[in-house]
Structure formats: C-alpha cells, structure tokens
Amino acid sequence: MRKLAPLALGLMLSLAVAAPSFARPMEGSEARKMQTSVDVYLRSIGRGEAARVVAALPPRIKNIFAGSAGIEAGKLDGVLIEQTEALLDAAKFDDFAADYSAVDATDSVLADGSRVTWTVVPTQFTVETAGGKVLNRQPLLVLNEAGQWYMMRIEGAQQQELVSIAYPFLKGVSFPSASSAPVQ
C-alpha cells in the first residue's frame, strides 16, 4: 500500500498542472504594470520605434519564427526590426486605444513548469496610407512570463495557430475577431 502513495501523489500533481485555468480579475499593481506595458507598446508603434515593438514579442514566439524561417535566433531580432521599420515607414499609425474595462487574467503553466499569466486586450488604431485611412480593431494577446509583459496582435487563424504552438494552453481559445473599416 505504501508503494502506491508516491504514485498517487505523482498522479495528483500531474493532474493539478494539467487542470484547466480560470480567468480572474486583474487588479492592483499587476493591472497597472500590464496597462503601462500595453500603452508603451502602442505608443512605440505610433512613434515608429521598431526595436521596441519587436522587443515586446514573446521570446517563445520569436523562437518559432526563427525555426520556421531558418534564421539563427540571435539574428532574428535584426531581421524583424528591419521588416517592422519598413512596415512602420509605409504608413502612419495613430489614434491608439485599448479597452481595459473587462480585462481578466488567466494563470497557466507550460510543460516546462513556466508560469504564464495572460489576457486579451481589445485595441483599435488607424492606419493611413496613400490608399486612405482605415480603422483597425484587433485583439492584443498580452502575456506575462518570468515577470516580463509581452504582446502579440491576433489578426486571424495564422496568429492563433502560432501562439498555440508556443503556448499550448491557448489552443482552442476563441479570440475576438479582428476587423478593419475605411474611415470617412
């Protein structure tokens, strides 16, 4: 009977790690730090600060980018910064807003034991190009891993698939749809 105790304990611990996560209100300093990080990220886009925008991407996502593109992880930031600079130079990004009114956090654990707190923040902004001005509404996935807040826009199925590879607990999560409409 005593030999079963360690087995039962191990089973209970593995079930606890695999247990579903539940949303909770994000309050106090945690909420303020998250909001500040999102606001800095959005301002960085508006100011054309490509290096800050790329630095806000989750490292696990960058590793997947590097692997799928066949780029050394150490060189990936330079490539992403170049691409982001080109995108930010090609248009004027403005009128940023984030809706923090209904932001709940979910605490999850990865297979390697890393704890991740995540939420989805509805955002909107305008993009102006030679073709006109467009209002974009996009969910922003915001993750806290190892005490650092990271962001990634979720624009559709491809981004959802990417984040579920890096963060398997997000597989099957229904993100709000992104949308865009011309501004008159």
Side-chain angles (χ1 to χ4, degrees):
M1 192 68 128
R2 288 180 176 230
K3 290 182 180 182
L4 291 178
L7 179 62
L9 179 61
L11 180 61
M12 287 182 355
L13 288 174
S14 67
L15 288 174
V17 169
S21 305
F22 298 99
R24 60 172 172 77
M26 189 179 287
E27 300 172 335
S29 67
E30 179 186 39
R32 286 189 299 278
K33 288 177 184 176
M34 184 273 301
Q35 289 176 11
T36 298
S37 296
V38 169
D39 291 344
V40 166
Y41 172 75
L42 295 174
R43 277 194 309 270
S44 296
I45 293 171
R47 293 178 181 160
E49 298 170 343
R52 286 186 107 168
V53 172
V54 171
L57 285 171
R60 291 177 193 271
I61 298 291
K62 289 181 188 180
N63 288 338
I64 292 171
F65 283 157
S68 66
I71 298 172
E72 290 179 39
K75 295 181 180 179
L76 180 66
D77 276 357
V79 171
L80 290 175
I81 289 169
E82 244 180 67
Q83 292 175 349
T84 303
E85 282 175 342
L87 176 68
L88 295 174
D89 287 345
K92 179 183 176 196
F93 294 81
D94 206 0
D95 305 318
F96 291 93
D99 181 2
Y100 301 112
S101 64
V103 173
D104 286 333
T106 302
D107 299 306
S108 300
V109 179
L110 292 165
D112 66 3
S114 299
R115 297 189 177 281
V116 178
T117 298
W118 62 275
T119 190
V120 176
V121 176
T123 64
Q124 71 177 34
F125 56 93
T126 59
V127 179
E128 188 171 359
T129 64
K133 194 172 188 178
V134 176
L135 174 64
N136 291 283
R137 290 187 172 93
Q138 295 178 340
L140 183 65
L141 175 63
V142 183
L143 305 118
N144 186 304
E145 190 169 356
Q148 179 71 37
W149 287 102
Y150 299 101
M151 270 74 40
M152 181 166 176
R153 291 179 296 124
I154 305 295
E155 299 171 322
Q158 187 175 12
Q159 281 89 2
Q160 289 182 8
E161 179 69 25
L162 181 64
V163 298
S164 69
I165 292 169
Y167 300 97
F169 51 80
L170 293 173
K171 187 168 184 73
V173 169
S174 179
F175 291 97
S177 296
S179 66
S180 60
V183 175
Q184 302 290 333

